[in-house]
C-alpha cells in the first residue's frame, strides 16, 4: 500500500509531530511505501507572510498545488492528513478529490470546531462553538489571545461548516478516544465517518527481572500551560511530604519554578530518555489537566513504563485511566481531592505496584505498535473498499508479523 502523509508542523514541536514520525516508521516497517508532504510554520516569518496566511486560511491555492504535486509524483492509495492548519488548509482535500484518492484525517485536536483547538476558556472546558457560532471564539480571543487571529480561524470554521466540507471531503476521521468522537459528532460530523483509534508509543520493554529499586514520589510531565492544571497541582502539594518532580516547559515555567522547593523539584525541559528514566523511578504520574485533552500521550507513556496515573475525572483522561485498575481519578480542579488521592496512594505501595502492573498490561493490550498497526490498516482498507471495492494487493499487517517473528 502507498500512503501519503500530510502534516503542517507548528513552530513549537509537540505531540502531533511525534505521532507523525511514529506512524510513518510503523507503516514503513510494515512494508508500506510512505511519503510525507510536510510544511512548517517557521516560514511564517514576516508581516506579509502572516497577512497572506490569514487571508488564505480558508483555502490556500498553494496548499492545493503542493498536494496535487505530491499525489502526481507519489501516486498514493490513501492520503492521511494529520494537520493542515494554517498553511496547507482544507484546499488539500480538493486536490485529493480531483485525483480520486481517499482521505483519512487524524483529529489531534478540536480545531475543526474551536478556534482555540482545545475546547477550553476561562479556566474550564468550553463547548460554546460546538453548539453555537464559531465566531464566539473571536469575541473571546480564543486563538492565541488575539481577536483578529481568532476571527480568521472562526471564519475558516464557519465557511467549511456551511459548505459541509468535513462530511464531503474526508472519507474517514480518526478520533483518539470515544469521548473526542462524541464532541465531534455534537459539532456536526457524521458518526459513521469517525473511527476511534488511539495513539501508540514505542515499547520501552518491561522492567528487567529481579529485584528493582523501590519506586518513590510523584511525577508531573506536561507543557506548562494553564489548561494542564499546574495551579491545582501546586495547591494540592501544600503541606504534602510526598516528593514531586515537575518536568516541562511553557508559558508557566516561571510559575513552576517559583513553586518548587521543599518536596517539589522542577527540572524544566528534559529529553525523552530522561523522561523515561524518571517514569521508571516514580511511584505514580499525576495528570491534573482541566481541559478535556484529546488523548494525553503522557498517560500511555506512563502505562508503558508500568507507572499508574492519578488523573482528572474528565474527558479523555477518564476514558484512558481506569479508576482503581490502572490509576486513580479525582475531581477536576479540586486540589483537596487530589491531595487526598495522593496521600492515600503514597501510603499503599502494594496498591501502587498492582496498579502499575495493570497499567503495563493495559498498554500491551491497547497501545503497542502492533495493536495500532492492525487498527490503522483496517481503517485504510475500509476506505479503499468503500471507494474502489477492493483491498490492497498485499497485507502489510502480515508482513509486519513476519518481520517481527524473524527478528
Amino acid at each position: 500500500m502507498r500512503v501519503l502523509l500530510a502534516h503542517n508542523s507548528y513552530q513549537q514541536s509537540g505531540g502531533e509531530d511525534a505521532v507523525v514520525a511514529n506512524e510513518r516508521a510503523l507503516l514503513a516497517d510494515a512494508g508500506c511505501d510512505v511519503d510525507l508532504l510536510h510544511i512548517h510554520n517557521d516560514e511564517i516569518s514576516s508581516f506579509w507572510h502572516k497577512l497572506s496566511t490569514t487571508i488564505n486560511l480558508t483555502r490556500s491555492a498553494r496548499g492545493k498545488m503542493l498536494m496535487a504535486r505530491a499525489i502526481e509524483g507519489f501516486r498514493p492509495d490513501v492520503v492521511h492528513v494529520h494537520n493542515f492548519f494554517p498553511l496547507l488548509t482544507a484546499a488539500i482535500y480538493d486536490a485529493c478529490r480531483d485525483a480520486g484518492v481517499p482521505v483519512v484525517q487524524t483529529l489531534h485536536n478540536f480545531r475543526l470546531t474551536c478556534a482555540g483547538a482545545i475546547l477550553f476558556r476561562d479556566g474550564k472546558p468550553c463547548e460554546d462553538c460546538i453548539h453555537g457560532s464559531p465566531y464566539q471564539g473571536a469575541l473571546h480571543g480564543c486563538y492565541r489571545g488575539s481577536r483578529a487571529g481568532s476571527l480568521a480561524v472562526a471564519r475558516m470554521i464557519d465557511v467549511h461548516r456551511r459548505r459541509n466540507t468535513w462530511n464531503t471531503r474526508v472519507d474517514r476521521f480518526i478520533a483518539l478516544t470515544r469521548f473526542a468522537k462524541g464532541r465531534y459528532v455534537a459539532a456536526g460530523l457524521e458518526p459513521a465517518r469517525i473511527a476511534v483509534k488511539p495513539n501508540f508509543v514505542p515499547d520501552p520493554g518491561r522492567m528487567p527481572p529481579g529485584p528493582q529499586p523501590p519506586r518513590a514520589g510523584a511525577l508531573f510531565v506536561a507543557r506548562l500551560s494553564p489548561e494542564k492544571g499546574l495551579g491545582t497541582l501546586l495547591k494540592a502539594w501544600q503541606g504534602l511530604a510526598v516528593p514531586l518532580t515537575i518536568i516541562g516547559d511553557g508559558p508557566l515555567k516561571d510559575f513552576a519554578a517559583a513553586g518548587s522547593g521543599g518536596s517539589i523539584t522542577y527540572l524544566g525541559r528534559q529529553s525523552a530518555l530522561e523522561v523515561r528514566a524518571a517514569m521508571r523511578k516514580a511511584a505514580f504520574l499525576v495528570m491534573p489537566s482541566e481541559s478535556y485533552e484529546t488523548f494525553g500521550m503522557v498517560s500511555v507513556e506512563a502505562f508503558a513504563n508500568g507507572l499508574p496515573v492519578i488523573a482528572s475525572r474528565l474527558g479523555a483522561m477518564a476514558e484512558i485511566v481506569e479508576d482503581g485498575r490502572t490509576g486513580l481519578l479525582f475531581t477536576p480542579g479540586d486540589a483537596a481531592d487530589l491531595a487526598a488521592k495522593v496521600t492515600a496512594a503514597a501510603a499503599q505501595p502494594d496498591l501502587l505496584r498492582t496498579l502499575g502492573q495493570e497499567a503495563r498490561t493495559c498498554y500491551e493490550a491497547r497501545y503497542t505498535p502492533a495493536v495500532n498497526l492492525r487498527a490503522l490498516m483496517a481503517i485504510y482498507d475500509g476506505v479503499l473498499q468503500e471507494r474502489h471495492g477492493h483491498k490492497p494487493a498485499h497485507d502489510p499487517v502480515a508482513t509486519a508479523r513476519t518481520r517481527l517473528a524473524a527478528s
Side-chain angles (χ1 to χ4, degrees), residues 113 115 128-129 132-139 150 153-155 157-158 161:
T113 191
D128 288 354
C129 292
S133 168
Y135 290 105
Q136 294 174 91
L139 176 65
S150 300
V153 181
R155 179 177 177 273
I157 295 168
D158 181 53
R161 185 180 287 182

Side-chain angles (χ1 to χ4, degrees), residues 11-242:
Q11 288 176 328
Q12 183 174 12
S13 180
E16 291 183 18
D17 300 300
V19 170
V20 173
N22 285 344
E23 288 197 358
R24 184 181 187 181
L26 181 74
L27 290 167
D29 288 345
C32 293
D33 291 322
V34 188
D35 200 4
L36 173 65
L37 170 59
H38 183 241
I39 196 167
H40 200 288
N41 281 1
D42 279 349
E43 68 177 64
I44 310 174
S45 56
S46 69
F47 169 79
W48 296 111
H49 286 138
K50 292 177 182 178
L51 180 61
S52 174
T53 299
T54 301
I55 291 172
N56 295 301
L57 200 57
T58 298
R59 186 181 183 282
S60 164
R62 179 187 175 217
K64 181 179 179 181
M65 176 196 68
L66 290 172
M67 177 58 78
R69 286 180 177 175
I71 291 173
E72 182 179 7
F74 184 62
R75 298 191 176 279
D77 298 305
V78 176
V79 168
H80 186 160
V81 179
H82 283 272
N83 178 40
F84 64 68
F85 180 87
L87 294 170
L88 290 174
T89 77
I92 60 176
Y93 300 151
D94 295 336
C96 296
R97 176 202 57 193
D98 293 346
V101 180
V103 177
V104 173
Q105 178 166 342
T106 297
L107 298 168
H108 290 285
N109 55 44
F110 296 103
R111 182 80 68 194
L112 300 193
T113 191
C114 169
I118 59 174
L119 298 179
F120 182 82
R121 180 170 62 82
D122 295 336
K124 60 183 183 296
C126 171
E127 297 191 4
D128 288 354
C129 292
I130 284 182
H131 304 291
S133 168
Y135 290 105
Q136 294 174 91
L139 176 65
H140 297 290
C142 292
Y143 179 69
R144 296 188 172 185
S146 166
R147 289 187 175 180
S150 300
L151 177 61
V153 181
R155 179 177 177 273
M156 177 201 77
I157 295 168
D158 181 53
V159 167
H160 290 299
R161 185 180 287 182
R162 292 176 184 276
R163 292 177 180 172
N164 202 27
T165 299
W166 319 131
N167 288 320
T168 58
R169 293 289 190 268
V170 179
D171 296 82
R172 191 79 77 250
F173 288 103
I174 297 176
L176 304 178
T177 61
R178 296 187 302 276
F179 175 84
K181 176 177 179 176
R183 296 304 83 216
Y184 267 108
V185 170
L189 267 64
E190 297 170 357
R193 202 172 288 273
I194 308 175
V196 176
K197 181 194 74 66
N199 290 326
F200 73 95
V201 296
D203 190 352
R206 283 183 170 269
M207 296 292 286
Q212 299 294 326
R215 290 175 175 262
L219 180 65
F220 172 87
V221 182
R223 181 172 186 270
L224 301 181
S225 52
E227 73 276 6
K228 297 299 183 179
L230 181 62
T232 298
L233 179 74
L234 295 179
K235 185 177 179 181
W237 239 262
Q238 293 177 3
L240 287 181
V242 179

